[in-house]
Amino acid sequence: MTGSDEHVGRARERLTALLVEASTGALGAAGAHVAGVYLRSGTPGLLRLATLVGLPGQLFRPWWRLHMDRPFPVADAYRLGTRVVLPNATETVRRYPQFAAGLPFQFGSVYTPVPGAEPSFGVLTVLLPGTADTVDELPDLDRLCRAADRLGAGLRELVAEEGDAAVAWEGEPVCVRPPAPRPGPARVGRFTWDPVTSAVHADDRLHALLGTEPGEFPGTGAELAVAMTPADADDVLTALHETAAGKPPPAPLRVRAADGAPLLLELWPPGAADPPLVSGIVVDPGPSAAADGAADLLPEGVFCLDRSGIVRYANPAAVRLAGRPRAELLGRPLWEAMPWLSGPSYDDHWRGALLARGPVHFQVRRGAAEGDFLALSVHPGSDLVTCTVVPASRIDPPVHLSPAAGPGTLGRSGGSSMAPLYRPIALAIALTDAVTARQVSAVVMQELLPAFGGRRLAIYLLQDRHFYLAWETGFPPGFLAPFDGVGLDAHIPGVEALTTGRPLFFESMRRLADTYPGLALDADVGSRAFLPLIASGRPVGTCILGFESERSFSTEERTVLMALAGLIAHAMEKARRYDSEAALARGLQQALLPRRLSAHPQVETAGRYLPGTQGMDVGGDWYDVVGAGDGLALVIGDVQGHGVQAAATMGQLRSAVRAFALSDRPPDEVLSGTNRLLIDLDPGQFASCCYLRLDPATGRARIARAGHPPPLLRAPDGRTRVLEVPGGVVLGVDPRARYPVTGLELAPDAILALYTDGLVERPGADIDDGIAALGAALAEAGAAPGRRGARTLTGVADRLTAMARHATDRPDDVALLLATRRPGAADRG
C-alpha cells in the first residue's frame, strides 16, 4: 500500500468513526432503536446510506441510495435544510405515500440535516418504536439536533484537512450493532399459593417482574399462571397441584413469558405448615448464560440474533431444525446461516418485526421436500431478537417464491438481487405524479436502477413504426445515436423484444454478442435486460436495463420486471397523450398572444411568455404593446386559473384593452372599462392588470394598476427600484372600483419591467423576496442598451427568464414585458 493509499484509508477511518459515534449517540438521544446517516456521494443528486445502527443492512438495500429529488423524507430534509418529523405511520402515509408503500409498518421517524457547506453534508435519521399521536409526544428532538451539529462540526474539520471528497460516501453502508445494555442481576419474585382457596400472595418484586399491579391482581393460581406464561399456563397449574401433593418438579420449570422471554419457576411443597401453602419463586435470568442454559432444554427451537442480523445463540432444537452444526450458525448473518429464511415475503416479516417492534408469526418452507414446513415466531428486543421455531404441518408458499428458483433463491450471481425487495406499488405511486414522457423516464431511472442495481437505462418509444430515444443514462456518449429512428424490421434486441412481446435477458455481453452477431456493444462485461412496453395490448416502446457485472435473472425477478414494464408502458401511453394534447393547447394559447409588438422609433420593447409545466391546461397570462395616439400603451395581465376558459377570457380582455388603447383613453378609464366588461361577461374569473401610457418624445408616462405586481425601473446607472404605484382591486370583482393614476418619467436608456407573478412567486417564499431577486437580476443585466458593450433588450429579457425557462417544473405561467427609450431631440435640448 502506498503512502497515498494509507492517507486515504486513515481519512476514511476518521469519517467512519464520526458517523458511527453520531448514529449510536442518536439512539440514546431519541430513545430510538434504529439510526443512520445519509451522506452526499460523488454522483450528483445521489445520497448514500453511510452508517446503519440497529437493522440488518441486507434487509434494507433498496434504501441504500436515494435521489435528492425523490419524494422521501431524507431527500426533503437534505434538499430543504429543515428537520422532517413523522410521529406515526398515519402522518408518514399522508406526507410520503411512496415511502410508506415501501415500509408499511408502524413506526415514527425523524430526519435532521447535518449542517455543513451548502448544501448540508447529509441527514441524521432515527426510527422510533411504536407511534406517537403528536410531535409533542416524541423524545426531546433538540438532543438530535445537537447530535447532528456535533457531527457537522467533525465533518467540517475533516473537510478543512482533507477536502470535500473526504466526506463523499461511496459503496455500502457500515452496519453496526447497537450498544448492548449492561446486564443487570437476575430479577426474582416470590409468592405463596393456598391449594384449598387458590389464593395467591405475591411480593412487589413479582408484580414488577410480571407487569401486574397489586390492586389489579385477583390472586388465584389460574390467574398467576396466565400472568406468568400465557402459553404454558396449564403446565404451571399442573406443577402447582403436584407440588401441593408433595411432588414438586425435579428441576426449575422453564416457561416463556408473554413476550417470549424465558422464565424459571421453582416450587416447594407446604410441608407441615398450616395452612398448607405452596411456596415458589419466579426468576427472570436476563441475557445471561443461565437463560441460554434454560433455553437449551426447551423442546422447540430457540435462536437469537443481534439487531445487525448476526446469529448469537441457537439451542440444540434450533440446530437440528437448521440442519447444520452450531459452529456454522453462530457469528454468521442469518441469511447465510439459514438461507431458507430469506425471500421477499419472509423479508417483509423481518422488517415488520424490527421496525414495529411487535411479535411476528409466520411460516416458512425449509426445503424442497413435501411437508418440510416450519412455524416461526419473532420477538424483537432493544438489543437481541429472540426467535422460536417448530415443525409445522403445512404452509402456504410465499406468493413471490418461484419453484423454478428453489426455496430461498434470490436469483443472484455474485451479489444480492434487488427484485424481491422492490414493491411494484412504490413505482405505481411514483408514476402518478409523472405526466410527461420525460417525467416518467426520470421516475423509472430513480426507481428501477437503485432497486435492481442497474447503472444504465434507455427508453425507446414507438412512433410511425420507428423507434425514437426518449431517455438515456449511463451509456457512453453517442453510443445510442445510431439506433435512434430505426424501423421495426431492424434485427436488434430492443425491436425484437417489442415485436414479439417477450422480454430478452442476457446474463453476459458474450451471450448478447452471440445472439446478435455484429451488434455494436457498449461494454465488454455486464448483463442486459430488454423489456417490451405494452399498454392494453398496444406496443409503446422498449425499456433497456444495463448492469455492469454478469448476473442471472431468476424467475421471480423476470416476473417483477415484466410487471414493472407494464406500469411503465401505461404511464408512457398516458404521457404521450398528454404531450400531444398539451401541444394543441399551447398552440391555442400562442395564437392568442401578439405575434409582434407595435413599434416606435424612440421605444424598444421585448416580451417573453413561458407556459407552466404542471398540468395540461393553458393559462391566462398576456402582454401587449399598442399604439395610443402619438404614444404607446404597454399592458400586462394575468387571468386567474388555467384552462380553456382562462385563455378565452384572456383573449377577450386583450381585445378590450387594445380597443380602449387605440382610442387613447386614460389609464384609469381603460382599467375601469375593462373591469365592467369582465363583470358583464361573468366568466366566474378575475384578472390582474397593469396599464401604462408612454409619451416616447418626453418619457413622461402615466400608469394604473389592478391587483398586479408593481413594475420595476432600472435607471441608466444600474440602480433598480420597485415603483410604488397605488393600485385598485383586481378586475371582475367590484363594478365601482377606481384605479388611481401615477405619473413617472422614463429616462433615456432606463429599462421598465412589467411581469406576472409566475416570474417572482416560489412555493413557501414571500413574493416580495421574489420581486427583490428579479430587481437584483435586472440591476446586473449590464450596460444600458445602445451603448458600447451593452446587452440588447432581448438579451436582458432572456437573462431575466433564464431560470424559469430551464426549470423542469413551472407551477405557473410567466410573462415579461420590457421597454426602454432612445434619446431624442427633447432629451438633448
Side-chain angles (χ1 to χ4, degrees):
M1 180 181 292
T2 66
S4 175
D5 292 336
E6 291 178 356
H7 181 78
V8 172
R10 286 194 298 269
R12 175 71 173 218
E13 290 175 2
R14 270 184 70 188
L15 174 61
T16 302
L18 287 170
L19 298 174
V20 170
E21 180 182 2
S23 301
T24 54
L27 292 178
H33 60 219
V34 180
V37 177
Y38 280 88
L39 287 183
R40 62 194 185 206
S41 69
T43 303
L46 186 69
L47 296 173
R48 288 185 181 272
L49 182 63
T51 54
L52 181 64
V53 180
L55 289 177
Q58 171 69 18
L59 283 179
F60 295 88
R61 290 182 66 96
W63 297 272
W64 285 6
R65 301 169 7 137
L66 288 177
H67 279 266
M68 297 175 189
D69 56 353
R70 289 185 71 182
F72 274 30
V74 170
D76 279 359
Y78 179 84
R79 190 178 61 254
L80 303 176
T82 58
R83 185 174 64 197
V84 176
V85 181
L86 304 173
N88 50 51
T90 301
E91 185 69 4
T92 303
V93 171
R94 186 183 69 81
R95 294 177 58 184
Y96 298 97
Q98 188 179 346
F99 176 57
L103 291 172
F105 311 113
Q106 296 292 322
F107 67 95
S109 52
V110 182
Y111 308 84
T112 305
V114 178
E118 292 295 335
S120 60
F121 287 121
V123 178
L124 176 62
T125 303
V126 296
L127 307 184
L128 306 167
T131 57
D133 291 334
T134 65
V135 174
D136 295 336
E137 297 179 19
L138 294 176
D140 184 4
L141 300 183
D142 290 338
R143 294 181 62 189
L144 275 180
C145 290
R146 290 193 290 271
D149 290 342
R150 288 193 297 271
L151 175 58
L155 296 181
R156 286 194 296 272
E157 182 178 338
L158 186 59
V159 167
E161 298 176 12
E162 307 291 343
D164 287 340
V167 296
W169 192 268
E170 303 295 342
E172 299 184 357
V174 175
C175 298
V176 182
R177 179 183 178 183
R182 295 180 59 184
R187 296 187 297 163
V188 179
R190 300 180 180 275
F191 69 92
T192 60
W193 174 66
D194 186 338
V196 177
T197 64
S198 196
V200 172
H201 296 280
D203 65 5
D204 292 339
R205 286 179 295 181
L206 181 58
H207 284 298
L209 191 153
L210 299 180
T212 60
E213 294 292 335
E216 298 175 358
F217 183 60
T220 66
E223 283 145 350
L224 171 66
V226 171
M228 186 187 311
T229 171
D232 303 317
D234 290 342
D235 293 341
V236 171
L237 279 175
T238 299
L240 286 173
H241 286 289
E242 289 181 349
T243 301
K247 298 178 181 179
L253 188 65
R254 293 161 177 86
V255 297
R256 293 170 297 173
D259 61 359
L263 295 176
L264 302 178
L265 172 63
E266 190 160 0
L267 300 172
W268 291 272
D274 188 23
L277 301 178
V278 172
S279 302
I281 62 171
V282 179
V283 181
D284 175 11
S288 64
D292 292 349
D296 279 349
L297 300 176
L298 293 176
E300 65 266 32
V302 178
F303 61 94
C304 296
L305 320 171
D306 63 26
R307 291 191 68 87
S308 62
I310 304 299
V311 179
R312 298 297 178 184
Y313 166 78
N315 74 349
V319 171
R320 287 194 301 272
L321 291 172
R324 58 197 315 176
R326 186 190 294 231
E328 295 183 9
L329 299 177
L330 302 185
R332 300 183 64 181
L334 173 67
W335 295 270
E336 294 179 10
M338 305 178 192
W340 38 271
L341 279 175
S342 64
S345 298
Y346 307 149
D347 290 350
D348 261 353
H349 290 306
W350 289 110
R351 279 191 286 266
L354 291 168
L355 286 174
R357 248 190 183 177
V360 173
H361 311 282
F362 58 100
Q363 293 181 317
V364 297
R365 183 172 184 171
R366 180 175 49 182
E370 186 69 27
D372 195 5
F373 305 131
L374 301 174
L376 189 73
S377 296
V378 181
H379 301 269
S382 59
D383 179 45
L384 291 177
V385 179
T386 302
C387 308
T388 62
V389 58
V390 296
S393 58
R394 67 172 300 276
I395 183 174
D396 295 325
V399 294
H400 297 297
L401 190 60
S402 167
T409 299
L410 298 183
R412 48 180 171 246
S413 178
S416 298
S417 164
M418 291 299 96
L421 302 178
Y422 188 78
R423 293 172 172 271
I425 190 174
L427 179 64
I429 293 175
L431 287 173
T432 57
D433 294 328
V435 293
T436 67
R438 182 176 181 83
Q439 290 171 341
V440 170
S441 300
V443 168
V444 174
M445 179 193 72
Q446 295 167 9
E447 286 290 330
L448 257 65
L449 291 189
F452 288 84
R455 295 298 178 87
R456 303 182 185 190
L457 170 72
I459 295 179
Y460 284 88
L461 297 182
L462 181 64
Q463 183 177 353
D464 298 330
R465 298 184 60 79
H466 287 78
F467 268 59
Y468 294 97
L469 184 63
W471 182 277
E472 67 165 304
T473 183
F475 286 90
F479 171 76
L480 295 177
F483 303 102
D484 196 22
V486 300
L488 288 180
D489 56 347
H491 181 58
I492 58 176
V495 171
E496 294 193 357
L498 183 63
T499 54
T500 63
R502 296 193 304 269
L504 300 177
F505 298 95
F506 298 94
E507 299 179 354
S508 67
M509 300 304 289
R510 177 179 49 80
R511 288 195 58 186
L512 178 58
D514 291 343
T515 308
Y516 294 90
L519 179 69
L521 302 180
D522 57 301
D524 295 328
V525 296
S527 52
R528 297 290 181 267
F530 297 83
L531 308 176
L533 303 181
I534 300 174
S536 302
R538 295 186 301 274
V540 175
T542 299
C543 176
I544 304 172
L545 292 177
F547 306 86
E548 291 188 344
S549 59
E550 296 185 1
R551 52 159 298 156
S552 61
F553 297 90
S554 67
T555 302
E556 66 264 35
E557 274 189 307
R558 298 179 185 218
T559 301
V560 170
L561 283 171
M562 280 305 297
L564 297 177
L567 292 175
I568 298 168
H570 281 280
M572 277 295 183
E573 183 76 356
K574 181 185 69 174
R576 290 204 303 187
R577 289 197 302 268
Y578 168 88
D579 288 340
S580 60
E581 293 173 8
L584 292 173
R586 299 306 179 198
L588 167 64
Q589 189 176 39
Q590 291 292 341
L592 294 175
L593 292 171
R595 291 179 176 269
R596 56 186 176 83
L597 301 176
S598 297
H600 191 280
Q602 288 184 252
V603 179
E604 181 182 358
T605 59
R608 293 291 181 270
Y609 173 78
L610 301 173
T613 61
Q614 295 184 1
M616 186 174 58
D617 292 334
V618 295
D621 290 18
W622 93 95
Y623 61 86
D624 208 350
V625 178
V626 187
D630 56 356
L632 284 178
L634 284 73
V635 60
I636 194 165
D638 181 3
V639 177
Q640 165 262 337
H642 293 82
V644 175
Q645 182 62 55
T649 302
M650 178 265 280
Q652 291 171 313
L653 293 185
R654 176 173 173 257
S655 298
V657 171
R658 286 185 65 88
F660 287 125
L662 289 170
S663 62
D664 202 13
R665 304 278 290 274
D668 56 334
E669 293 186 16
V670 172
L671 292 186
S672 295
T674 307
N675 177 49
R676 288 192 294 270
L677 172 65
L678 183 57
I679 292 174
D680 290 342
L681 291 174
D682 192 22
Q685 293 171 306
F686 57 83
S688 67
C689 186
C690 185
Y691 182 92
L692 179 142
R693 201 279 188 190
L694 173 67
D695 183 346
T698 64
R700 286 190 290 270
R702 292 181 297 162
I703 185 170
R705 198 162 59 94
H708 203 80
L712 292 170
L713 182 64
R714 182 188 186 276
D717 61 4
R719 289 180 298 174
T720 303
R721 62 189 176 94
V722 178
L723 295 179
E724 300 296 339
V725 179
V729 299
V730 293
L731 306 176
V733 174
D734 182 3
R736 294 168 297 183
R738 296 292 180 263
Y739 300 95
V741 177
T742 301
L744 62 94
E745 185 169 336
L746 185 64
D749 296 330
I751 300 177
L752 177 72
L754 307 178
Y755 53 91
T756 57
D757 55 10
L759 189 59
V760 292
E761 277 191 329
R762 298 291 181 272
D766 194 298
I767 190 173
D768 291 337
D769 295 335
I771 294 174
L774 180 62
L778 181 60
E780 297 172 0
R787 295 187 177 175
R788 184 180 297 276
R791 289 188 176 91
T792 63
L793 195 65
T794 56
V796 174
D798 287 337
R799 187 175 183 187
L800 296 183
T801 56
M803 182 177 295
R805 186 169 58 253
H806 293 110
T808 304
D809 293 311
R810 285 189 300 273
D812 199 1
D813 295 5
V814 170
L816 173 70
L817 179 61
L818 301 180
T820 187
R821 282 182 63 232
R822 303 184 180 94
D827 300 299
R828 292 190 292 270

